[in-house]
C-alpha cells in the first residue's frame, strides 16, 4: 500500500527568478497540507540559498529534503558558477542550460531511490527548461507539472506567434500586429517578442531547444502559472480552451507565508526608508533584476535622469566591475535624496514599505507580481525575454503602470535622461501616476484574497492537490 502522505518533488532551474517562486510554492502547499513532504533537487552551490529561503516560522525543515548534485563539468561555464545571476555574460545562458542536461543520470538514480522509500513521490514540479525530467518522471509513473515563471498572457502570445508566424510580411519592428482574430485586442510588435521568435521564420539551436521543452510540457499533466485568474482570466480561458496541458493559476506565490525566524537588525536601507516615511517623502524604487545587462551609455543616462528628476529614490544597483568608475560621485551628489544599495536586498520588503510609491522595473514577472501585491505602480522598462509582453499586460491591459519614454518611441529604444526624468515625474507626481496607483491598490486587495481559503488560486491549488491524492489512492488500491 502506498503512503497516504503527499510527497512533492521540485526541480527548479538555477536562476533566482525561477528558484524563488518554487520555494514559495513549497510554503503554499504546506499551508494546504501541513504533513506534506518535499524533496528539492538542485546543485551543491545552490543548496545554501534554498535552505535560507525556506527558513520560516511556519515550515518545519524536517519536512524538506534537499538532494544536491555536483554541477556538470563544462569548458564553457566557469568553475563555481551554478546560477545564471553569476554568469559573466548572459551570452552563456544557453551553454549553461545545455550543461544542466548532464544532471539527468544523477536525477534518475535519485528519483529511483525515492520511489523505493516509505513515502514515494506523488508528483514532480519541474522547471520547463528541464525537458528531460518528463521522460524520467514517466519512467516511474510520476505525474509532472511544468513551471516557467511566466503568465498566461505571455504563454498565449508566444505560442500563437510560433503557430501563426504573424511577422512574415512585416518589416517594421514596431508595427502592431493582431495575432489571432479571437483575441483582436491582443496586438504586439516584433520588438515585443524576443529573438529568435521575432524573426519571420524562427530557427536555430535555441528554437530546437525550446521545442523540446514545449513537447515535454505538452506531455506533462499540468502547467503551473504564478498568476491569478482575476488578473488575466481571458488568457487563462483561452489557453485552456486551445492548448494542452491545462494551466493552473496558483499565485501570486510571493504572498505565501515566509516570515523569517529570529529578530534581525534592520539593514541600512530599511532605516533610510523609515526616515523617508517620517519625512513624508515618496520613494521610487529602481531595480532591473539579476540578469539585465545595462550598457555603459545607458547607465550614464539613468544616473542623470534620476538626479534631474529630483525624486527621492533607492537604487538596487548591479553593474559590471568596469562600470564602477561611471557612478563615481553619484552618491555624493544625491546624498540625502537617493540611496544606492549594492548586493542583495529584500525587494518585497522595499516594495511593501509605506514610503515606496513607485517602481522603475525591468518587468520580470516575479517583480511585477510583487509590485502588484504591494500596491505599487510600475514604470515599465522591459529588457529581455518575455518582459516586453509583461509590460504590455501591465500598462495596456491591467493599467497598473506606465512606460518609460524612449528616444525614438520604440519599445526597445534607447532611454535618454530627459525621457527618464519625464517618465519618473509622470509616475510619481502627475495625474496619470495617480490613476495607475489607484488601480494597483485595488488590484492588490484582489490579489491577496486569491490565495486565502475560498479564493481562486486557493481553490485551484486545492483541486490540483486533491487530484494527485486521488490518483495516488487509486494507484495503491
Amino acid at each position: 500500500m502506498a503512503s497516504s502522505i503527499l510527497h512533492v518533488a521540485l526541480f527548479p532551474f538555477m536562476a533566482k527568478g525561477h528558484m524563488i517562486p518554487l520555494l514559495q510554492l513549497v510554503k503554499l502547499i504546506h499551508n494546504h497540507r501541513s504533513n506534506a513532504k518535499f524533496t528539492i533537487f538542485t546543485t551543491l552551490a545552490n543548496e545554501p540559498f534554498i535552505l535560507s529561503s525556506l527558513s520560516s516560522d511556519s515550515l518545519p525543515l524536517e519536512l524538506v529534503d534537499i538532494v544536491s548534485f555536483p554541477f556538470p563539468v563544462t569548458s564553457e561555464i566557469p568553475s563555481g558558477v551554478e546560477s545564471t545571476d553569476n554568469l559573466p555574460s548572459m551570452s552563456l545562458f544557453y551553454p549553461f542550460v545545455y550543461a544542466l542536461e548532464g544532471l539527468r543520470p544523477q536525477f534518475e538514480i535519485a528519483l529511483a531511490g525515492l520511489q523505493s522509500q516509505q513515502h514515494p513521490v506523488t508528483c514532480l514540479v519541474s522547471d520547463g527548461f528541464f525537458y528531460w525530467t518528463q521522460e524520467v518522471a514517466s519512467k516511474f509513473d510520476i505525474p509532472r507539472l511544468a513551471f516557467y515563471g511566466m503568465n498566461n498572457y505571455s504563454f498565449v502570445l508566444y505560442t500563437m506567434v510560433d503557430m501563426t508566424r504573424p511577422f512574415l510580411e512585416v518589416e517594421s519592428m514596431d508595427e502592431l500586429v493582431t495575432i489571432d482574430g479571437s483575441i483582436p485586442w491582443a496586438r504586439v510588435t516584433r520588438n515585443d517578442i524576443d529573438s529568435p521568435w521575432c524573426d519571420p521564420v524562427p530557427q536555430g539551436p535555441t528554437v530546437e531547444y525550446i521545442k523540446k521543452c514545449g513537447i515535454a510540457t505538452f506531455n506533462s499533466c499540468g502547467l503551473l502559472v504564478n498568476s491569478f485568474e482575476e488578473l488575466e482570466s481571458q488568457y487563462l480561458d483561452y489557453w485552456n480552451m486551445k492548448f494542452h496541458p491545462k494551466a493552473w493559476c496558483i499565485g501570486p506565490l510571493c504572498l505565501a507565508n515566509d516570515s523569517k525566524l529570529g529578530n534581525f537588525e534592520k539593514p541600512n536601507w530599511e532605516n533610510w526608508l523609515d526616515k523617508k516615511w517620517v519625512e513624508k517623502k515618496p520613494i521610487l524604487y529602481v531595480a532591473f533584476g539579476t540578469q539585465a545587462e545595462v550598457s555603459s551609455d545607458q547607465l550614464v543616462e539613468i544616473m542623470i535622469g534620476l538626479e534631474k528628476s529630483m525624486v527621492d529614490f533607492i537604487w538596487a544597483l548591479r553593474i559590471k566591475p568596469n562600470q564602477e568608475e561611471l557612478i563615481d560621485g553619484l552618491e555624493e551628489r544625491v546624498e540625502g535624496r537617493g540611496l544606492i544599495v549594492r548586493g542583495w536586498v529584500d525587494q518585497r520588503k522595499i516594495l511593501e514599505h509605506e514610503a515606496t510609491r513607485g517602481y522603475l522595473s525591468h518587468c520580470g514577472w516575479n517583480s511585477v507580481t510583487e509590485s502588484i501585491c504591494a500596491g505599487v505602480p510600475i514604470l515599465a522598462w522591459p529588457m529581455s525575454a518575455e518582459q516586453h509582453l509583461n509590460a504590455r499586460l501591465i500598462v495596456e491591459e491591467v493599467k497598473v503602470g506606465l512606460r518609460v519614454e524612449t528616444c525614438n518611441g520604440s519599445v526597445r529604444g534607447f532611454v535618454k535622461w530627459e525621457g527618464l526624468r519625464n517618465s519618473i515625474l509622470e509616475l510619481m507626481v502627475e495625474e496619470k501616476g495617480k490613476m495607475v496607483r489607484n488601480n494597483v491598490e485595488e488590484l492588490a486587495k484582489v490579489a491577496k484574497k486569491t490565495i486565502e481559503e475560498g479564493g481562486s488560486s486557493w481553490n485551484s491549488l486545492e483541486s490540483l492537490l486533491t487530484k494527485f491524492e486521488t490518483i495516488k489512492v487509486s494507484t495503491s488500491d
Side-chain angles (χ1 to χ4, degrees), residues 153 157 174 176-177 184-189 192 231 234-235 363 378 380 382 388-403 409-411 435-436 439:
Y153 177 80
L157 293 184
D174 294 296
L176 281 167
V177 176
W185 63 89
R187 304 170 70 209
V188 297
T189 70
D192 289 315
L231 178 66
Q234 292 169 312
Y235 297 99
C363 297
I378 296 168
H388 291 84
L389 292 182
N390 295 342
R392 282 213 179 270
L393 177 67
I394 63 179
V395 173
E396 297 175 11
E397 304 237 355
V398 190
K399 295 180 171 42
V400 294
L402 305 175
R403 269 194 188 273
S410 170
V411 295
M435 180 186 69
V436 294
N439 291 345

Side-chain angles (χ1 to χ4, degrees), residues 161-187:
V161 164
D162 185 44
M163 290 175 61
T164 64
R165 299 284 190 264
F167 305 125
L168 274 172
E169 299 180 3
V170 177
E171 294 184 4
S172 170
M173 297 296 290
D174 294 296
E175 180 183 340
L176 281 167
V177 176
T178 299
I179 303 299
D180 185 354
S182 57
I183 45 172
W185 63 89
R187 304 170 70 209

